[in-house]
Amino acid sequence: MTAQRIHDTVADDFARVNDLIIKRLSSDVPLVEKIAQYIIESGGKRLRPLLVLLSSRAAGYDRDDHHKLAAVIEFLHTATLLHDDVVDTSDMRRGRSTANARWGNAPSVLVGDFLYARAFEMMVELGSLPIMEVLSHATAVIAEGEVLQLMNVKNPDVSEEKYMEVIHNKTAMLFEAASHTGALLAGANPEQENALKDYGKHLGLAFQLVDDALDYTGNADAMGKNVGDDLAEGKPTLPLIHAMANSGEEHRQLIRNAIRKGGLDDLPRILHIVNASGALEYTMAKAREQAALAKACVTSLPASPHTTALDLLADLAVERVS
């Protein structure tokens, strides 16, 4: 019900964004269009374009360019998904085969490049240098986050601080850019602009922290991916980092070895250790801290259905099970 209330706030805007996304996916190369449509239509939450719509409206925007900006954000996000799945050699996302599993790595990477290019075409059409500056910077930071994460794979010595840097760059940055550019499009005053920018950052951090907790607690059918995928890839996320710091030497070494080799041979034992160490409660507490910071940002904005929806969205980020 919370999710439906949020979407109802911008239902007409959302429908127009979806129409624009489909229209701007068109290509003279059939495979480009097929792969792009496959990933765009794969049932994602569309949180980032939703953030553009809610943020711009919360800052008083009353025109139509936020539809195009929301589509830009979705194209940037989808491009990163295509590239991520190739890097991670993933074969399942949102309950369906990944594009690279169906069509191969090379087409997936190239269609990701197409979506980046289409997004920047649409940015130029918006004609806002500040928006282009924010989004071009965000794209670079996201790429850096991906490289940082790649460097950390199979490294059991990653600190909580380094982990937080990775999830800020890799995930929260596009949330931040979505809400920030929504404020810029609306011509928000500096206080409102900073509030919406920070809102997106904290929401994105909360969202990723919950994702990383769900990797050890979630239901595979609900999540659309397998439980333990992060461990299988050798990713030292916060549940493992905290479990290593709060377990005995035998358990600590078991987790370290599992991260180093990747795979799921020790998953049942590690799930037990993660639960016994309080790592999941710790990760969720960190997520709730970030959600509370996001909600605090909303208080500096004029009361409206859109600010209420932003407040509810922060709650939803930590209440979800997928």
Side-chain angles (χ1 to χ4, degrees), residues 157-169:
D157 295 314
V158 173
S159 65
E160 181 174 332
E161 180 182 14
K162 181 60 69 174
Y163 161 83
M164 291 298 295
E165 180 185 357
V166 169
I167 68 169
H168 171 263
N169 291 6

Side-chain angles (χ1 to χ4, degrees), residues 92-121:
M92 182 179 178
R93 182 182 286 278
R94 299 168 181 164
R96 300 204 303 174
S97 297
T98 56
N100 51 296
R102 290 193 59 166
W103 288 284
N105 288 342
S108 296
V109 169
L110 293 171
V111 171
D113 293 345
F114 165 80
L115 290 172
Y116 274 129
R118 186 51 50 87
F120 276 87
E121 284 179 355

Side-chain angles (χ1 to χ4, degrees), residues 46-320:
R46 300 267 171 96
L47 285 179
R48 295 151 191 86
L50 178 62
L51 261 183
V52 172
L53 300 177
L54 291 174
S55 298
S56 57
R57 291 298 198 199
Y61 188 68
D62 61 359
R63 299 174 67 187
D64 294 328
D65 275 348
H66 61 324
H67 303 139
K68 186 173 289 185
L69 179 56
V72 166
I73 293 291
E74 183 65 4
F75 280 7
L76 291 175
H77 175 56
T78 305
T80 65
L81 296 185
L82 283 163
H83 290 169
D84 284 358
D85 287 340
V86 170
V87 171
D88 295 339
T89 62
S90 301
D91 59 9
M92 182 179 178
R93 182 182 286 278
R94 299 168 181 164
R96 300 204 303 174
S97 297
T98 56
N100 51 296
R102 290 193 59 166
W103 288 284
N105 288 342
S108 296
V109 169
L110 293 171
V111 171
D113 293 345
F114 165 80
L115 290 172
Y116 274 129
R118 186 51 50 87
F120 276 87
E121 284 179 355
M122 296 168 71
M123 268 185 242
V124 171
E125 293 168 15
L126 286 170
S128 169
L129 193 57
I131 287 175
M132 288 189 68
E133 184 178 358
V134 168
L135 292 179
S136 57
H137 172 69
T139 305
V141 170
I142 291 164
E144 289 175 336
E146 289 296 338
V147 175
L148 273 175
Q149 179 171 266
L150 192 62
M151 291 169 60
N152 291 341
V153 166
K154 298 187 177 179
N155 177 7
D157 295 314
V158 173
S159 65
E160 181 174 332
E161 180 182 14
K162 181 60 69 174
Y163 161 83
M164 291 298 295
E165 180 185 357
V166 169
I167 68 169
H168 171 263
N169 291 6
K170 180 177 175 291
T171 300
M173 192 67 215
L174 194 55
F175 280 80
E176 179 180 321
S179 56
H180 187 191
T181 54
L184 289 170
L185 187 67
N189 64 44
E191 181 186 5
Q192 292 174 349
E193 179 188 333
N194 288 330
L196 284 166
K197 176 185 177 182
D198 289 345
Y199 171 90
K201 176 182 72 175
H202 294 304
L203 180 71
L205 289 170
F207 185 86
Q208 187 61 55
L209 284 159
V210 172
D211 255 16
D212 290 346
L214 287 173
D215 195 63
Y216 292 93
T217 64
N219 176 281
D221 292 333
M223 292 192 298
K225 66 173 189 173
N226 299 314
V227 174
D229 270 358
D230 288 343
L231 179 64
E233 295 167 13
K235 291 180 180 176
T237 57
L238 188 56
L240 293 184
I241 293 169
H242 185 81
M244 283 188 286
N246 292 273
S247 300
E249 185 60 24
E250 179 184 349
H251 288 169
R252 185 179 300 113
Q253 287 303 322
L254 177 68
I255 295 174
R256 289 179 64 85
N257 291 336
I259 291 171
R260 284 197 185 102
K261 69 181 181 180
L264 297 174
D265 292 345
D266 298 309
L267 180 61
R269 291 181 67 190
I270 288 174
L271 287 175
H272 174 75
I273 296 167
V274 165
N275 278 285
S277 68
L280 297 176
E281 291 86 350
Y282 179 80
T283 303
M284 287 303 300
K286 289 291 182 182
R288 285 189 288 271
E289 284 178 15
Q290 293 297 327
L293 289 169
K295 288 166 69 75
C297 293
V298 177
T299 60
S300 65
L301 300 165
S304 72
H306 304 99
T307 54
T308 299
L310 288 170
D311 196 81
L312 290 171
L313 187 57
D315 291 332
L316 183 64
V318 291
E319 292 170 359
R320 64 196 174 88

